[in-house]
Amino acid sequence: MGIKKLLSRSLKGTGREEIQLDRLGKLVKNPNGSIPQHLYVSFPTVLEYLWDRVVKPVLNGLGIQSGSADDLPRIWWCPSGPLAILPLHAAGHYRNPTDDNIMDYVVSSYIPSASVTSQITRAEDTTPSFRLLAVANPAGCRLPGTQQDLHAIRKYVVNGPLTELVEESATPEAVKDELKSATWVHFACHGVQNRLLPTENSLILANHARLTLLDIIQLSLPKAQFAFLSACQTATGTLLGTDESAHLTAGMLLAGYRSVVGSMWNISDDYAPDFADRFYGRMFDGTQRPDYRRSAFALHDAVKMLRRDMNLGFRVWVPFIHVGA
């Protein structure tokens, strides 16, 4: 079976007996709370293939060895073609605790194209005052976990202004207006992908109104620094066109954000708040001012902590990726 087909199979649900909604509104878990067996079979095979055939040869070529968890080098992946939809950031062997995997070697980020590098690393004329916009639990979304994302943010954002748009107030118009003055934004909502027209990839806001990729790109956001898209399929590529990176996460870079966290496929409403909590706990460690340049390391650490503390299945932690600076 081809690697793309194997990945596709590993992302499928288990059938009509499932009862739990993810952030795309799809059902993802068996009634007894177990992860479907085929996910444990397929995902390790996909990640081992990527490690053996793609990632480890690259690391060997760069002379990168496994090192201290506190001093890992950073690597930016810029995949194209079929590789653009595969989770290079999670490649490795995971069947035994001592197996090799990428997270023991590097902190991974992605860039949609080499031309983006100069944009996300350009010097800043001034450092704007920190201000975080949190968009959570839009009216009609039926995602109770998104409210927990907001609780996690409130716990850590204590030294800077926080604007909240929730339920009925989370309209596209209100969000676009607040984005103009916010430096960071966190979306906790549904996300949908349009495979035929990537500029119509959307975040679903109050009463099912859509904030599209085109809407975001057209905004002027001179203060933008960091975005966390805690929604499904915000970094899902498509092989139908020439630009495999025309997704919401890459679109945030085009709109002016320098650093973005997104998801390669569906994420669980049960566990997404735990990621948000661990992530912001690392970003706001109490010793430094908020710095978007720590976001790749914060995501890396959050994933490792959750894998260790909660023994999460692959489908839960692999989707989250970092894009940009």
Side-chain angles (χ1 to χ4, degrees):
M1 180 181 292
I3 192 68
K4 289 190 295 180
K5 289 184 178 180
L6 198 59
L7 177 64
S8 177
R9 191 183 76 171
S10 72
L11 295 176
K12 290 180 180 178
T14 59
R16 63 183 181 183
E17 76 276 10
E18 301 165 320
I19 61 171
Q20 183 180 337
L21 292 176
D22 66 13
R23 292 202 173 176
L24 190 61
K26 291 187 177 180
L27 301 169
V28 296
K29 192 182 281 189
N30 290 329
N32 64 2
S34 65
I35 302 296
Q37 182 62 35
H38 73 272
L39 296 184
Y40 286 114
V41 174
S42 297
F43 251 121
T45 304
V46 170
L47 300 181
E48 288 168 6
Y49 180 95
L50 291 175
W51 176 254
D52 294 337
R53 303 291 185 89
V54 181
V55 171
K56 191 57 166 66
V58 169
L59 299 183
N60 288 343
L62 295 173
I64 297 176
Q65 303 295 321
S66 60
S68 167
D70 297 325
D71 191 29
L72 294 179
R74 184 95 173 272
I75 192 168
W76 281 264
W77 301 101
C78 186
S80 63
L83 282 177
I85 64 172
L86 295 174
L88 300 177
H89 65 284
H93 291 249
Y94 295 91
R95 300 179 191 272
N96 299 299
T98 58
D99 284 348
D100 259 355
N101 65 77
I102 191 172
M103 299 191 75
D104 294 327
Y105 285 74
V106 295
V107 174
S108 289
S109 294
Y110 291 88
I111 52 173
S113 66
S115 62
V116 171
T117 305
S118 60
Q119 175 184 327
I120 62 176
T121 58
R122 70 189 187 277
E124 294 176 297
D125 296 332
T126 59
T127 301
S129 299
F130 171 78
R131 180 168 176 248
L132 193 151
L133 168 64
V135 182
N137 198 32
C141 75
R142 295 185 301 167
L143 289 173
T146 61
Q147 192 68 36
Q148 299 305 311
D149 282 40
L150 190 55
H151 292 165
I153 292 169
R154 289 171 181 161
K155 180 165 65 173
Y156 297 111
V157 182
V158 295
N159 295 320
L162 169 63
T163 300
E164 301 176 10
L165 291 177
V166 299
E167 299 181 355
E168 293 289 347
S169 67
T171 65
E173 293 75 18
V175 170
K176 286 189 287 187
D177 185 60
E178 291 293 341
L179 284 175
K180 296 174 184 177
S181 57
T183 56
W184 292 20
V185 62
H186 181 101
F187 285 96
C189 57
H190 289 302
V192 294
Q193 182 190 26
N194 188 320
R195 294 183 181 274
L196 295 177
L197 192 59
T199 55
E200 292 301 310
N201 292 344
S202 307
L203 295 165
I204 307 303
L205 301 182
N207 301 313
H208 309 290
R210 296 192 174 203
L211 180 67
T212 69
L213 172 56
L214 183 60
D215 292 331
I216 296 169
I217 292 174
Q218 290 177 334
L219 293 174
S220 176
L221 303 173
K223 298 182 179 181
Q225 292 182 342
F226 170 73
F228 192 128
L229 307 182
S230 186
C232 295
Q233 301 186 11
T234 57
T236 303
T238 173
L239 297 180
L240 298 178
T242 57
D243 187 356
E244 289 86 357
S245 297
H247 47 61
L248 279 166
T249 303
M252 299 301 276
L253 297 182
L254 295 176
Y257 289 88
R258 298 182 178 223
S259 182
V260 189
V261 170
S263 62
M264 294 191 79
W265 50 79
N266 300 354
I267 59 176
S268 169
D269 194 43
D270 243 13
Y271 296 109
D274 294 311
F275 274 96
D277 186 271
R278 303 297 178 99
F279 174 82
Y280 286 111
R282 298 295 290 176
M283 290 293 279
F284 298 94
D285 59 9
T287 62
Q288 304 176 60
R289 67 180 302 276
D291 189 342
Y292 67 89
R293 290 168 294 189
R294 295 204 301 268
S295 55
F297 297 91
L299 182 63
H300 180 94
D301 291 346
V303 169
K304 294 197 76 168
M305 284 190 291
L306 286 168
R307 284 179 51 212
R308 180 192 65 221
D309 298 344
M310 301 178 67
N311 193 30
L312 299 182
F314 294 106
R315 181 171 178 168
V316 177
W317 65 267
V318 174
F320 290 96
I321 68 168
H322 179 269
V323 177

